[in-house]
Amino acid sequence: MRDTIKYSEEELVGLLVQKDQQAFSYLYDNYAGALNAVILKMVEHNELAEDILQESFVKIWNNFENYDKTKGRLFTWMLNITRNLTIDTLRSKSFKKQQKISGDENSVSSLEDAKGGLDKFDAMGLRKQVGNLKEDQRSIINLAYFVGYTQDEISKQLGIPLGTVKTRMRTAILELRKKIQYT
Amino acid sequence: MNSNEIISSGLLELYATGLASAEEAMQVQQWVGQYTEVADELAQIETCMEAYSQSQSIQPDASVKEKIFAKINQLESAKIIPLNSGEESSNVIGISSFWKKMAAAVVLLLIGSVAVNVSLYNNNKNVVSQLVNIQQALAGLQEKNNDMAADMKVVQSKYSLPVSLAGLEAAPDAAAKIFWMKNTTGEVYIDASNLPDAPVDKQYQLWAFVDGKPVDAGLIISTEKGSKYRIQKMKTFGRAEAFAVSLEDKKEKPSVVPEGPVYVMGKM
């Protein structure tokens, strides 16, 4: 259910600083799906993903005063929190143990999984346009933005020189912007 | 670097996708504050990435939102409790309204009981004092009754010989009665109740005439109220011809012969 009220980002931030639960509800309704998708790209385990999503939103609520709008948009900040929590969970010992037991099929560190994740996305307005992105462009965006890979990791994963990650990323995003603008 | 060079460098994209190093991130933030064009460009990149993310949305289970709100409300209330705990003891025990009502009822009963007890105590005190009065009155009556019984015993004794003493010149209306156990113990009793009250400095004295001579038979108590109306035991005589009462002056030693006027006299 979406709230009928629409907040500008500035209004939303102002209310969230004051711990306004209605604004937080709006925030959740508008961003939980996107953040959940990011988690699922790395975790691919629904229950664990939901636990991480829950933890992320609680952290967003508790640490909202730390959000600095001069450093970027609200979603970017939320995404960083969510992505970092997910990475922390993946690196935690208990998760590694769990992964060992449940087997390699749940491994999230391969590009195949990132691509597999993409194939699950459906029914959103931009899906088709984004789908027209070249495979390597979509991968570099996903690995960086969603999976949280470093430039070095992307370089190794995609088999491209480290020095080209920056220009390839710029090209991919410019392409993405065009697709989105045409929608 | 001018703003165009910054925009085309690709650093904004690295920053927006989280690939920028800490150093690069600081540099970008500085430029964003410095150049409006750079700030606008970064905002567009971020909006694009946000839209891309939204396009990939997967809605989580509805229970997640409930869990999040339950958690933050729990956290909010947990923040409030320590503030209060400074003022109030953490061991505050709630008392149900039932026990509060019970306590009130018990207090009311206690107050009522005290009031009743005070009333009963006062009543009891009155009753006790009344009882004491009655007992005293009864004791007085019993004493009188005993006296009367003793007097009656004298009067009713089949051995008592009554002798009437009639008034003489000095007191024509006066009278007295002697009860003499003549044939048994010789005890002599007198009922002096019909003698006039003796003056304060005088007293009555009984005489028995033996062989024509008056012999002292004892002083009659007539000044003490009540005693005059009692039958008084006098001295004992085996024989006597007559009895008489005279009014004598009060003195340390009673008279051996009648000196004052004789009020009443009776012969056998």
Side-chain angles (χ1 to χ4, degrees):
Chain A
M1 281 244 301
R2 290 280 170 124
D3 288 290
T4 48
I5 309 162
K6 288 268 180 190
Y7 295 105
S8 72
E9 182 153 326
E10 207 172 326
E11 286 168 342
L12 193 58
V13 169
L15 289 167
L16 287 169
V17 169
Q18 297 164 40
K19 299 276 186 213
D20 185 306
Q21 290 203 2
Q22 201 184 340
F24 190 62
S25 175
Y26 176 88
L27 185 81
Y28 180 89
D29 291 342
N30 283 280
Y31 296 107
L35 294 176
N36 191 43
V38 170
I39 298 164
L40 282 170
K41 274 195 169 59
M42 293 187 267
V43 172
E44 297 206 358
H45 188 285
N46 271 328
E47 276 182 46
L48 183 61
E50 284 177 357
D51 284 351
I52 295 168
L53 184 67
Q54 186 186 324
E55 207 183 325
S56 300
F57 268 95
V58 171
K59 196 168 183 181
I60 286 162
W61 172 261
N62 286 334
N63 297 290
F64 202 82
E65 66 272 15
N66 294 339
Y67 168 63
D68 181 356
K69 65 178 177 183
T70 64
K71 291 182 180 175
R73 283 177 63 81
L74 177 57
F75 180 75
T76 310
W77 179 71
M78 289 167 64
L79 176 66
N80 284 334
I81 285 176
T82 305
R83 194 168 48 208
N84 290 340
L85 265 176
T86 310
I87 290 165
D88 288 349
T89 306
L90 293 174
R91 284 175 185 163
S92 73
K93 283 178 183 175
S94 63
F95 182 78
K96 279 177 182 167
K97 207 180 274 177
Q98 193 186 323
Q99 286 300 295
K100 238 176 188 174
I101 293 161
S102 56
D104 284 338
E105 70 271 18
N106 280 341
S107 173
V108 295
S109 51
S110 73
L111 181 61
E112 290 308 307
D113 286 319
K115 288 196 295 187
L118 268 179
D119 289 341
K120 288 192 291 184
F121 301 146
D122 200 13
M124 296 302 293
L126 295 171
R127 163 95 182 65
K128 207 176 168 186
Q129 304 302 327
V130 171
N132 289 337
L133 270 180
K134 285 177 189 171
E135 177 71 31
D136 59 339
Q137 289 177 338
R138 199 169 56 179
S139 291
I140 195 169
I141 290 172
N142 288 350
L143 287 173
Y145 197 58
F146 294 146
V147 185
Y149 272 21
T150 62
Q151 292 186 53
D152 191 44
E153 284 168 331
I154 290 169
S155 152
K156 282 171 186 167
Q157 185 71 51
L158 298 180
I160 57 168
L162 184 60
T164 62
V165 171
K166 187 165 68 177
T167 50
R168 286 204 183 204
M169 179 61 84
R170 173 159 164 79
T171 309
I173 287 174
L174 281 172
E175 199 62 31
L176 182 63
R177 284 169 73 179
K178 279 181 200 165
K179 305 272 182 204
I180 285 167
Q181 275 163 4
Y182 295 145
T183 308
Chain B
M1 274 207 273
N2 62 37
S3 58
N4 283 334
E5 285 168 337
I6 294 164
I7 288 164
S8 58
S9 71
L11 272 171
L12 298 181
E13 282 81 2
L14 289 184
Y15 180 78
T17 54
L19 285 179
S21 65
E23 211 177 315
E24 288 167 333
M26 276 178 67
Q27 181 66 71
V28 169
Q29 283 164 20
Q30 195 190 318
W31 287 331
V32 166
Q34 207 173 335
Y35 305 104
T36 316
E37 302 86 3
V38 173
D40 287 348
E41 177 71 6
L42 180 64
Q44 280 185 42
I45 293 166
E46 283 189 278
T47 306
C48 166
M49 295 309 295
E50 195 176 318
Y52 176 53
S53 294
Q54 292 290 5
S55 77
Q56 313 288 305
S57 277
I58 300 169
Q59 286 304 317
D61 194 89
S63 67
V64 177
K65 187 177 182 181
E66 288 167 21
K67 284 179 193 167
I68 290 166
F69 273 83
K71 190 76 184 278
I72 67 167
N73 282 315
Q74 186 191 331
L75 289 169
E76 291 306 301
S77 59
K79 279 179 194 165
I80 292 162
I81 289 161
L83 284 175
N84 290 343
S85 70
E87 295 167 17
E88 292 172 41
S89 161
S90 56
N91 291 331
V92 173
I93 295 159
I95 297 168
S96 74
S97 65
F98 170 77
W99 289 110
K100 283 178 186 167
K101 282 175 188 167
M102 278 298 285
V106 166
V107 168
L108 282 176
L109 279 173
L110 185 63
I111 290 167
S113 168
V114 167
V116 167
N117 277 317
V118 166
S119 168
L120 285 175
Y121 173 75
N122 286 334
N123 284 349
N124 190 44
K125 227 163 66 172
N126 289 339
V127 167
V128 165
S129 86
Q130 280 172 4
L131 182 64
V132 166
N133 288 342
I134 288 166
Q135 280 177 335
Q136 283 174 346
L138 182 65
L141 287 172
Q142 275 178 334
E143 204 183 319
K144 265 186 188 169
N145 192 43
N146 289 342
D147 291 348
M148 205 90 90
D151 291 356
M152 287 302 286
K153 209 174 163 186
V154 172
V155 173
Q156 288 172 339
S157 169
K158 59 181 180 182
Y159 302 110
S160 71
L161 176 68
V163 181
S164 289
L165 309 184
L168 299 181
E169 277 177 44
D173 296 331
K177 245 175 205 151
I178 293 290
F179 300 93
W180 185 24
M181 310 299 172
K182 189 189 173 188
N183 297 318
T184 51
T185 59
E187 287 166 354
V188 173
Y189 297 88
I190 185 166
D191 169 16
S193 56
N194 287 314
L195 289 174
D197 283 358
V200 183
D201 57 337
K202 310 267 187 191
Q203 57 190 358
Y204 291 112
Q205 193 169 358
L206 179 68
W207 304 96
F209 286 88
V210 180
D211 298 329
K213 283 180 184 172
V215 179
D216 172 40
L219 294 170
I220 297 165
I221 302 161
S222 63
T223 49
E224 287 173 49
K225 266 256 172 187
S227 295
K228 197 180 82 174
Y229 302 98
R230 286 289 313 283
I231 288 177
Q232 299 174 52
K233 192 182 180 186
M234 309 308 287
K235 288 182 175 171
T236 300
F237 290 91
R239 60 189 178 94
E241 300 99 64
F243 291 98
V245 174
S246 67
L247 188 67
E248 301 293 320
D249 290 335
K250 275 185 181 173
K251 47 194 172 190
E252 279 185 33
K253 278 190 173 178
S255 312
V256 286
V257 289
E259 290 166 1
V262 175
Y263 271 44
V264 289
M265 189 169 188
K267 290 175 183 172
M268 302 306 294

